[in-house]
Amino acid sequence: MIIKMNNKKTSLNRTVGLALSGGGLRGTAHIGVLKALLDYNIPIHYISGTSAGAIVAAMFACGYSPRQMEKIIENVDIQRLIDLKVTVPDLIKHGVKWMMSGMFRFWSVLPAGLIKGDKIEEFLADLWKDRTVRDTQIPIAITAVDINTADTVFFTTPVPGSRAILNARYYHNTLLTEAVRSSISIPGIFFPKKYRGMTLVDGAVKNNLPTDILRHMGADVVIAVDLGYSGQENFDIKTVGEILMQCIDIMGREVTILKAEQYADVIIRPVITDIDFHDLKQAKKCIKRGQKAITDRLEDINRLTNS
């Protein structure tokens, strides 16, 4: 097979799938990964993503270049994308409701999330308009989890001959905006996404590094980019939100070790643990770390894709 990329011809013997994990604002490292893969003429035939990885995967599958993604990151105002559902008066109101109702659990009277997610959904809609997962330039898979049934939900381009995964459901006509909004719905932070009677939350709950779906879609080689928690100590956890995020990170790490690594041929882990995930200004540093991570494993990748 001869494939033309960046106006250069390159031969490739095997199809390549790229899985992008969740990682919050550190997900900008995925942009550097894509940039390096393209610079080294390694084509991507399938792409999957969870949470932050879903955003980057969807942009790439729609034809955005890494440089265009960088420009978007440079100009985005995160604060304008946050529409808080719970304010201090809301907390007081919910506290009074809790005391008056005689309920024993304060959490039971709180809303389903802190952020509505409407503004970020509008932002996503501007990126790819009315495209569905069928309308991408390369096949894509985006993960979410239905908390009502515990099923994994894959929003994916239909691929002839692909095989099904147990305890999973597939949707092929979903708008990319709805699919990605579902995948980024961090429990307790974002309101879950309601879709076809399901209550969908962040795919990282069950599948933070979606390598299995790429194999089932037909990828011969699976390259996985893991930005998840790597087991490092963290003594700076103080708030409820930080505790919740750390718990999700720990669960995601265990799932990745047990499942994702079975299907990946090579796992790329950019060094990003020292980067403040609250600060989008450090995106350029994340992007460079993503590029370096690919360069460091280039020999392994070339051996796999050309064997």
Side-chain angles (χ1 to χ4, degrees):
M1 182 186 299
I2 300 295
I3 298 175
K4 194 174 183 181
M5 299 185 62
N6 295 338
N7 296 317
K8 298 178 182 179
K9 289 185 178 180
T10 179
S11 63
L12 185 76
N13 300 319
R14 312 178 73 190
T15 57
V16 178
L18 179 67
L20 305 179
S21 79
L25 296 181
R26 293 171 180 161
T28 51
H30 291 315
I31 299 173
V33 165
L34 288 168
K35 187 176 189 303
L37 289 174
L38 294 179
D39 286 345
Y40 291 120
N41 296 313
I42 299 170
I44 300 163
H45 300 89
Y46 307 90
I47 193 165
S48 65
T50 295
S51 201
I55 298 176
V56 177
M59 293 180 72
F60 183 76
C62 286
Y64 282 90
S65 69
R67 181 56 188 150
Q68 288 174 314
M69 295 182 204
E70 281 188 78
K71 282 290 185 184
I72 291 171
I73 292 298
E74 289 171 4
N75 296 318
V76 70
D77 183 352
I78 291 293
Q79 295 304 315
R80 295 184 62 183
L81 301 181
I82 297 175
D83 43 3
L84 287 175
K85 177 65 176 177
V86 179
T87 61
V88 172
D90 288 329
L91 290 174
I92 295 172
K93 179 181 69 176
H94 289 303
V96 172
K97 181 179 178 181
W98 169 58
M99 290 186 290
M100 298 298 291
S101 66
M103 301 179 74
F104 293 100
R105 293 183 302 166
F106 176 63
W107 294 111
S108 62
V109 296
L110 286 175
L114 300 177
I115 300 174
K116 296 178 186 177
D118 294 341
K119 289 185 178 179
I120 195 166
E121 195 161 337
E122 292 172 4
F123 172 76
L124 296 173
D126 284 340
L127 292 178
W128 36 70
K129 309 305 178 185
D130 295 325
R131 293 183 187 178
T132 71
V133 290
R134 284 181 178 270
D135 302 324
T136 53
Q137 294 182 11
I138 61 172
I140 188 173
I142 293 170
T143 65
V145 174
D146 181 5
I147 60 172
N148 296 322
T149 65
D151 284 344
T152 300
V153 174
F154 289 111
F155 300 105
T156 178
T157 309
V159 177
S162 60
R163 306 185 304 277
I165 296 172
L166 293 176
N167 300 319
R169 280 177 274 165
Y170 301 82
Y171 295 89
H172 304 304
N173 297 302
T174 308
L175 290 172
L176 275 170
T177 299
E178 293 182 307
V180 174
R181 169 63 176 85
S182 301
S183 190
I184 67 172
S185 299
I186 303 170
I189 306 298
F190 281 93
F191 262 58
K193 176 67 177 177
K194 296 290 185 178
Y195 182 76
R196 296 193 182 184
M198 298 180 289
T199 303
L200 300 178
V201 296
D202 193 332
V205 171
K206 284 187 68 179
N207 200 344
N208 191 46
L209 189 58
T211 55
D212 51 352
I213 185 65
L214 293 174
R215 193 70 76 183
H216 286 264
M217 291 170 75
D220 297 317
V221 175
V222 173
I223 300 170
V225 186
D226 183 12
L227 303 181
Y229 176 61
S230 58
Q232 69 273 16
E233 294 180 341
N234 186 349
F235 297 104
D236 195 31
I237 299 173
K238 299 181 178 65
T239 68
V240 172
E242 289 169 344
I243 292 171
L244 179 61
M245 292 300 296
Q246 181 74 351
C247 288
I248 292 172
D249 284 345
I250 292 170
M251 289 187 294
R253 178 177 182 242
E254 294 302 307
V255 172
T256 297
I257 292 172
L258 290 172
K259 183 169 66 172
E261 292 188 1
Q262 296 179 36
Y263 297 93
D265 294 292
V266 58
I267 297 182
I268 308 298
R269 291 189 169 97
V271 180
I272 54 171
T273 55
D274 61 319
I275 295 177
D276 183 0
F277 69 89
H278 297 97
D279 187 3
L280 192 58
K281 292 180 181 178
Q282 297 197 47
K284 285 189 176 181
K285 186 184 293 186
C286 274
I287 291 169
K288 289 181 180 178
R289 298 284 181 87
Q291 289 178 265
K292 185 179 186 305
I294 290 295
T295 300
D296 290 344
R297 299 296 300 276
L298 185 61
E299 184 177 342
D300 294 331
I301 294 171
N302 279 330
R303 185 179 67 253
L304 287 164
T305 56
N306 291 293
S307 61

